[in-house]
Amino acid sequence: MDLVPALEEPLKKVLGPPTAKVMAEHLGLRTVGDLLHHYPRRYEERGQLTHLADLPMDEHVTVVAMVADARLHSFASAKSPRGKGQRLEVTITDGHGRLQLVFFGNGVHKPHKELLPGTRAMFAGKVSVFNRRLQLAHPAYELLRGDTEEAVETWAGALIPLYPATAKLESWKIGKAVQTVLPSAQEAVDPLPESLREGRGLVSLPEALFKIHRPHTKADVDAARTRLKWDEAFVLQVALARRRHADAQLPAVPRRPAADGLLSAFDDRLPFTLTDGQRKVSAEIFDDLATDHPMHRLLQGEVGSGKTLVALRAMLAVVDAGGQAALLAPTEVLAQQHHRSVVEMMGELAEGGMLGGADRATKVVLLTGSMGAAARRQALLDLVTGEAGIVIGTHALIEDKVRFHDLGLVVVDEQHRFGVEQRDALRGKGTQPPHLLVMTATPIPRTVAMTVFGDLETSVLDQLPAGRSPIASHVVPAADKPHFLARAWERVREEVANGHQAYVVCPRIGDEEDDPRKAGRKKSPEDEAEKRPPLAVLDVADHLVKGPLHGLTVEVLHGRMHPDDKDAVMRRFAAGDTDVLVATTVIEVGVNVPNATAMVIMDADRFGVSQLHQLRGRVGRGSAPGLCLLVTEMPEASPARQRLGAVAATLDGFELSRIDLEQRREGDVLGQAQSGARSSLRVLAVIEDEAVIEQARAEAVAVVEADPDLTAHPGLRTALDALVDEEREQYLEKG
């Protein structure tokens, strides 16, 4: 909310180029406003002024005292074997007792010049014992030049703000820079309407900025944080409310299914009945499709809840109404898989224009980047003539060459994998804006949905279709109990002996390019702790073929294979020709092989909670129960093991997504929906601040309905422009 010229002043003018350069490069702070919104992470208390005679051990104390003497010593050390090491010892007294301060190395020069006998100063630091004497090592100090007693009291009692810092710029240097620009906070234009602020008892923005950077009490910090949370929640919700409002003004062609058209023919041939959840969500979608402005709906469904069927019925309704539908999938494997399952579900209804096709049939085409020229040409022709009612593809659908006869509905699968430009490019292919349905199998807590997907109406499928089997999940502690791992491979053999198949998932591929030891990549702290890179598909497959799974048909699947090879591997696995598929997370989304009943996830601690839940959803898709084994070498007490325990303990994706959120930083969850390197949420926590987000959304809707252009709210407009410049407004569409 970098609001007015004073706050738009570049830092290099105010702080000087060297400091400004470090702030820009390492913290992304470029203007006075950016710096004012770089809030302290936490606060240290300097403690009450303490008499030297009764200093507590290991506590942060502040004393006012006079330097009695100062001595510089040289000494030999490992770094300075020739006795060139330097230590400055300063003795201070407050008239009641004495205390030694010590400074080492390069840190001796400044205090040696400044702390001369007779100098009065305030010293703050942690009390320790050395040679049975109390001392402060490298204390912070402030010289008192004729300062009043009052100044001493305020300095000592103040909370010390600790800022998110970098190796190049310590917290206290950031603090000093903030103090330099703090007067500009007076000029911050308040984005919150006055009625809202007064109604909710919030302090003004200038006051909040002063209180967060220079609090006198903890109550100051609380008041400031509450106010700043409201800023973030409200401005974001206004941006989303305006987007919904603008979308509602766009024209769209209403699409109503014919009474006895393609959709009813499809429903008649379904071998099962829809769940109540599928019926309810379908009704919401059909109501939206029948309106004359574009549907914008998010369909959240647990892994295996039948989202694809709901989406297919929506697509058939649009084809019935004379339009075309496009399904955008994130990977070729998934696009091919969707194409196969849609054609299978539709049977002769997918054979429009072909011998044996049903009367009301349409054509379902696949369009991916790796298709041959002839097949591609035919697919493009079917789209432009309207022969193909349904197209399923990857980002190849977005290319300029692709033209539709009448695009009525865009379905985006696994939304978080697409940039907003891609989504808009596809929507731009309709003569009028097409309806939009976004699907995700990653359960999202309500507040995150309201924050990240706030411009979409949300439907939730939380009921599994009849015939889906339960999945048993267990943690396999390979390091503590190696025989558990041996038993895991026996279980895989038993599943195969019973006519089923299994997945083995690894975090890495394992070819040259991918090997962190050879690529010279930095290792994560966890890698360092384990002194080994994550297990790799190629190595594990090799080990299994020669060892525990000898005699079974084992194949590998990973993202760097040629698309035709990937498709061939998936086809063989789906047909039951392969017993065990060793794969990376390319199987995470949408892969549907009902006969696969077991999954072993190697180095499971290297995956996120949501990812493990997604992977696990690939088994138990048929009538036989599923088994998921989470293999880890992490010790029992580690957070990683607790995380795996949580995944094993529940199949409720919404519960797991909360656990996931609580363990990760907000910015990770919001991802690029918040644009750029830094999340625009600094004090708002989407799980803890549920109430604030809900209230802010209601207030935002009221403000936008009454005044869509915000003419009566210039401060809010400015804040919005700062939060949502053109690029970031795009990203609010879930980049």
Side-chain angles (χ1 to χ4, degrees):
M1 284 142 242
D2 317 335
L3 298 169
V4 291
L7 272 66
E8 284 164 20
E9 186 89 34
L11 286 173
K12 59 174 177 259
K13 283 192 177 172
V14 189
L15 304 174
T19 310
K21 185 168 186 258
V22 176
M23 285 196 168
E25 285 176 6
H26 295 272
L27 296 168
L29 308 175
R30 291 178 173 78
T31 65
V32 167
D34 289 344
L35 182 52
L36 287 173
H37 288 285
H38 185 72
Y39 308 132
R41 194 177 57 240
R42 58 192 179 88
Y43 301 85
E44 278 285 352
E45 291 182 75
R46 283 205 173 95
Q48 295 308 301
L49 284 177
T50 314
H51 286 308
L52 293 186
D54 37 74
L55 287 176
M57 277 298 299
D58 281 338
E59 280 191 27
H60 202 283
V61 299
T62 301
V63 296
V64 174
M66 190 180 282
V67 177
D69 65 53
R71 293 187 193 138
L72 193 58
H73 301 275
S74 295
F75 61 92
S77 70
K79 284 187 181 169
S80 320
R82 296 191 180 165
K84 295 218 174 128
Q86 291 193 306
R87 182 174 79 247
L88 176 66
E89 288 175 3
V90 178
T91 308
I92 57 172
T93 175
D94 63 354
H96 298 278
R98 294 166 85 80
L99 177 67
Q100 184 153 323
L101 317 177
V102 60
F103 301 87
F104 291 100
N106 292 336
V108 304
H109 305 306
K110 187 166 175 273
H112 189 220
K113 276 194 290 211
E114 293 182 338
L115 298 179
L116 304 171
T119 309
R120 192 158 171 270
M122 273 180 284
F123 302 92
K126 209 175 198 182
V127 182
S128 58
V129 170
F130 180 71
N131 276 348
R132 289 189 295 189
R133 287 168 65 191
L134 293 183
Q135 71 167 26
L136 294 182
H138 285 283
Y141 64 86
E142 195 100 335
L143 301 178
L144 297 173
R145 299 188 175 90
D147 279 0
T148 61
E149 286 303 313
E150 194 185 334
V152 173
E153 285 299 326
T154 32
W155 191 85
L159 294 166
I160 308 168
L162 294 181
Y163 289 88
T166 75
K168 295 271 167 79
L169 205 60
E170 299 93 337
S171 167
W172 62 269
K173 284 188 181 160
I174 297 171
K176 283 204 160 169
V178 170
Q179 296 304 335
T180 308
V181 302
L182 200 51
S184 306
Q186 286 296 5
E187 298 184 47
V189 177
D190 206 315
L192 296 190
E194 201 169 330
S195 56
L196 188 163
R197 210 169 64 231
E198 286 172 1
R200 302 220 171 247
L202 300 169
V203 300
S204 70
L205 180 57
E207 190 180 338
L209 291 171
F210 276 103
K211 281 186 166 164
I212 198 139
H213 290 296
R214 200 188 272 168
H216 293 298
T217 61
K218 288 184 175 151
D220 282 355
V221 176
D222 291 342
R225 288 179 70 83
T226 302
R227 160 61 217 241
L228 295 166
K229 280 179 180 185
W230 259 93
D231 273 20
E232 290 180 4
F234 180 71
V235 175
L236 187 56
Q237 290 301 334
V238 167
L240 294 164
R242 290 186 75 207
R243 177 147 222 118
R244 288 193 301 274
H245 184 271
D247 285 339
Q249 312 307 309
L250 291 172
V253 179
R255 311 278 179 173
R256 294 182 184 84
D260 54 351
L262 191 54
L263 177 62
S264 52
F266 174 76
D267 284 350
D268 291 344
R269 52 170 288 134
L270 278 178
F272 51 81
T273 54
L274 298 176
T275 65
D276 293 345
Q278 286 173 322
R279 269 190 243 281
K280 176 176 151 289
V281 169
S282 289
E284 290 170 351
I285 291 170
F286 291 152
D287 286 351
D288 283 359
L289 290 174
T291 61
D292 54 9
H293 58 82
M295 163 172 84
H296 289 96
R297 192 165 280 281
L298 169 69
L299 173 55
Q300 277 186 260
E302 273 289 10
V303 177
S305 57
K307 290 182 303 301
T308 314
L309 178 63
V310 169
L312 176 55
R313 292 185 74 241
M315 290 158 81
L316 294 173
V318 168
V319 175
D320 256 356
Q324 291 169 293
L327 170 58
L328 184 58
T331 63
E332 295 215 351
V333 166
L334 193 50
Q336 288 158 342
Q337 174 101 23
H338 274 315
H339 182 253
R340 270 201 300 278
S341 61
V342 164
V343 169
E344 268 168 38
M345 280 197 275
M346 287 176 65
E348 74 266 19
L349 297 174
E351 294 167 359
M354 290 184 253
L355 273 174
D359 295 345
R360 288 168 299 207
T362 187
K363 207 168 182 181
V364 179
V365 301
L366 176 70
L367 188 63
T368 64
S370 63
M371 281 169 74
R376 188 181 173 76
R377 219 175 8 256
Q378 184 59 50
L380 292 173
L381 189 63
D382 289 341
L383 286 181
V384 77
T385 58
E387 188 83 9
I390 294 177
V391 58
I392 296 167
T394 54
H395 50 266
L397 280 177
I398 294 160
E399 291 167 13
D400 289 346
K401 293 192 201 77
V402 181
R403 292 273 179 277
F404 288 86
H405 176 64
D406 177 14
L407 180 60
L409 170 67
V410 174
V411 180
V412 181
D413 194 16
E414 288 309 318
Q415 165 59 28
H416 59 281
R417 299 184 176 211
F418 287 99
V420 64
E421 301 79 13
Q422 293 166 307
R423 203 171 92 178
D424 275 352
L426 188 51
R427 279 170 64 186
K429 290 182 179 292
T431 37
Q432 281 195 323
H435 298 283
L436 174 73
L437 180 65
V438 169
M439 299 196 294
T440 177
T442 309
I444 305 165
R446 268 186 65 246
T447 42
V448 181
M450 278 176 8
T451 309
V452 182
F453 293 94
D455 59 337
L456 303 173
E457 298 302 324
T458 306
S459 296
V460 178
L461 270 179
D462 47 12
Q463 183 183 7
L464 289 186
R468 285 300 301 260
S469 302
I471 304 169
S473 307
H474 303 283
V475 178
V476 177
D480 313 351
K481 298 175 179 166
H483 59 286
F484 276 38
L485 183 56
R487 176 72 188 117
W489 300 128
E490 280 172 28
R491 283 291 288 113
V492 170
R493 294 192 82 98
E494 287 164 15
E495 290 297 314
V496 173
N498 289 333
H500 298 303
Q501 294 159 279
Y503 297 101
V504 177
V505 182
C506 305
R508 203 162 57 85
I509 298 172
D511 50 13
E512 281 294 308
E513 268 178 83
D514 190 62
D515 191 332
R517 285 169 299 192
K518 291 170 186 157
R521 292 186 197 157
K522 271 192 169 168
K523 292 183 181 166
S524 75
E526 241 173 34
D527 289 358
E528 284 296 345
E530 294 180 324
K531 290 289 182 263
R532 73 161 174 79
L535 290 170
V537 166
L538 303 178
D539 304 340
V540 168
D542 190 47
H543 164 71
L544 294 176
V545 168
K546 292 174 181 163
L549 302 186
H550 181 64
L552 301 186
T553 324
V554 177
E555 288 211 63
V556 300
L557 180 70
H558 58 74
R560 271 211 283 277
M561 289 164 63
H562 187 279
D564 292 348
D565 297 340
K566 277 194 274 198
D567 194 40
V569 168
M570 272 317 299
R571 277 176 190 278
R572 286 195 291 274
F573 190 65
D577 302 339
T578 307
D579 299 324
V580 179
L581 186 62
V582 184
T584 55
T585 53
V586 288
I587 62 152
E588 177 188 344
V589 172
V591 171
N592 183 23
V593 180
N595 192 45
T597 52
M599 175 176 285
V600 181
I601 303 179
M602 307 302 290
D603 278 345
D605 48 273
R606 312 284 180 127
F607 298 97
V609 171
S610 299
Q611 211 173 16
L612 291 169
H613 181 60
Q614 287 276 25
L615 287 164
R616 169 170 64 185
R618 301 301 118 216
V619 293
R621 298 179 82 85
S623 51
L627 173 69
C628 178
L629 301 175
L630 306 166
V631 180
T632 178
E633 291 188 0
M634 297 307 277
E636 196 165 356
S638 64
R641 271 286 281 279
Q642 287 161 10
R643 206 168 65 227
L644 295 180
V647 174
T650 178
L651 291 171
D652 181 342
F654 287 92
E655 175 56 31
L656 287 174
S657 68
R658 281 190 86 90
I659 293 169
D660 196 19
L661 248 178
E662 281 156 12
Q663 293 189 341
R664 288 159 61 198
R665 292 198 332 277
E666 222 70 56
D668 296 343
V669 180
L670 301 183
Q672 282 186 299
Q674 294 301 337
S675 166
R678 293 184 302 145
S679 159
S680 59
L681 299 190
R682 297 183 182 87
V683 283
L684 190 71
V686 286
I687 285 285
E688 292 154 34
D689 297 322
E690 191 163 345
V692 175
I693 292 169
E694 284 189 11
Q695 292 162 14
R697 182 176 170 122
E699 295 272 13
V701 168
V703 166
V704 171
E705 276 177 7
D707 179 8
D709 294 328
L710 306 179
T711 21
H713 305 285
L716 178 55
R717 268 228 74 115
T718 321
L720 209 53
D721 294 342
L723 172 76
V724 192
D725 53 33
E726 274 314 296
E727 176 199 9
R728 286 168 90 166
E729 182 142 29
Q730 299 287 308
Y731 271 113
L732 281 175
E733 276 216 306
K734 276 42 75 207

